[in-house]
Amino acid sequence: MMEIQNEIKGYLHFCKYQKKLSSLSLKAYTIDLRQFAEFCVTTSEQAISKITITEFIRMLHQEHKPRTVKRKMASLRAFFNYLEFEEILDTNPMRKIKTKFQEPKQLPRTIPLRIIEQLLATALNEYGMATTPYSLSSTLRDIAILEILFATGVRVSELCSLKKEDINLEDGIINIMGKGTKERIIQIENDDVIKSLRQYQNANENNSAFFLRTGWANATRSNLFVS
């Protein structure tokens, strides 16, 4: 078996001084390749083969999360590509191994109700303390954004791209253009959300985007609120 420790050392030197990798990348490569070297010591194989690598990958799946396994396999693949390029190995055993696998999808985490209530309470408190037209309009905008996010579950990117014509507050309807230009309609049932949006809309002087405004010079507490 080749002197794998020396080859790893040479590869890390190559990564640092020729590939100019960051310190974080070098640290990850060092950890991953040393783990592989330690595994090789425990085997009875006389040379690193497809069987050796397959057993190592099986061990990784038992001890690490899929994302970590994917990173370690990428480190190993890059190392063997280097050995092949430098003609240290005649054949690259990684070429015969299927390294792609399906990572389990992670469900999005939900925000606890108490956190949502705290965010809205903070925004309302900021509005009550606002003393300038800018702070009045900004806090009113923040309230409207929070209300619509929590009431509808739209993506932030979708919210930012909303135009005035996308929102019909008379019928409580929002027209969303999602990923892949897929269009969907959301019905707002909560009167408080509609009220917040109407208050914001009453002060919004922008002619196109709903949540991006060009000026609030005339915004006052009296003309921001409507019934």
Side-chain angles (χ1 to χ4, degrees):
M1 182 181 292
M2 66 176 179
E3 294 293 333
I4 189 169
Q5 294 286 6
N6 290 335
E7 301 304 341
I8 290 175
K9 184 178 180 181
Y11 174 64
L12 293 175
H13 186 275
F14 168 78
C15 289
K16 181 177 182 179
Y17 294 103
Q18 294 193 45
K19 294 184 70 175
K20 305 293 184 180
L21 295 185
S22 67
S23 58
L24 289 177
S25 296
L26 287 171
K27 183 178 179 180
Y29 276 153
T30 301
I31 293 172
D32 298 342
L33 295 177
R34 284 180 178 173
Q35 184 180 15
F36 177 67
E38 291 170 1
F39 177 83
C40 290
V41 172
T42 65
T43 67
S44 57
E45 296 287 331
Q46 295 301 310
I48 297 176
S49 63
K50 178 181 177 181
I51 296 176
T52 306
I53 298 173
T54 301
E55 289 299 320
F56 177 67
I57 293 173
R58 183 178 293 113
M59 182 270 292
L60 290 179
H61 280 292
Q62 293 173 350
E63 298 183 0
H64 301 282
K65 294 181 179 180
R67 181 173 295 180
T68 303
V69 175
K70 193 172 184 178
R71 189 204 75 208
K72 290 179 178 293
M73 289 168 61
S75 298
L76 202 60
R77 188 185 305 110
F79 174 59
F80 276 102
N81 286 341
Y82 162 81
L83 294 179
E84 183 183 32
F85 181 78
E86 295 294 330
E87 299 182 348
I88 297 170
L89 287 180
D90 294 330
T91 58
N92 184 346
M94 286 292 291
R95 295 189 182 279
K96 301 179 181 180
I97 296 175
K98 182 180 179 182
T99 57
K100 293 183 178 180
F101 58 91
Q102 186 68 36
E103 292 186 57
K105 293 184 178 179
Q106 293 184 341
L107 296 175
R109 291 180 294 177
T110 58
I111 302 176
L113 179 59
R114 60 181 179 82
I115 300 298
I116 295 175
E117 292 174 343
Q118 289 174 3
L119 284 171
L120 287 172
T122 300
L124 289 169
N125 183 60
E126 289 293 322
Y127 177 79
M129 297 173 61
T131 58
T132 66
Y134 177 81
S135 59
L136 284 171
S137 59
S138 295
T139 52
L140 185 61
R141 177 204 60 206
D142 294 343
I143 292 170
I145 287 174
L146 290 172
E147 290 278 18
I148 198 171
L149 282 174
F150 296 139
T152 65
V154 298
R155 299 181 179 90
V156 173
S157 59
E158 294 172 342
L159 180 139
C160 292
S161 63
L162 283 176
K163 296 181 175 59
K164 280 190 172 183
E165 57 266 27
D166 295 330
I167 299 178
N168 181 347
L169 295 179
E170 294 301 320
D171 298 324
I173 291 175
I174 299 179
N175 190 55
I176 300 292
M177 187 64 69
K179 288 185 175 180
T181 66
K182 291 183 179 180
E183 190 174 7
R184 68 184 190 277
I185 296 175
I186 296 178
Q187 180 75 48
I188 302 177
E189 302 290 347
N190 191 307
D191 291 338
D192 289 335
V193 177
I194 293 177
K195 182 180 178 181
S196 295
L197 290 174
R198 183 173 285 117
Q199 290 164 351
Y200 169 79
Q201 189 180 53
N202 187 53
N204 185 7
E205 299 176 2
N206 190 281
N207 294 321
S208 54
F210 189 78
F211 283 112
L212 297 177
R213 71 277 186 278
T214 56
W216 294 75
N218 299 321
T220 64
R221 196 180 300 275
S222 59
N223 67 22
L224 286 176
F225 279 85
V226 295
S227 58

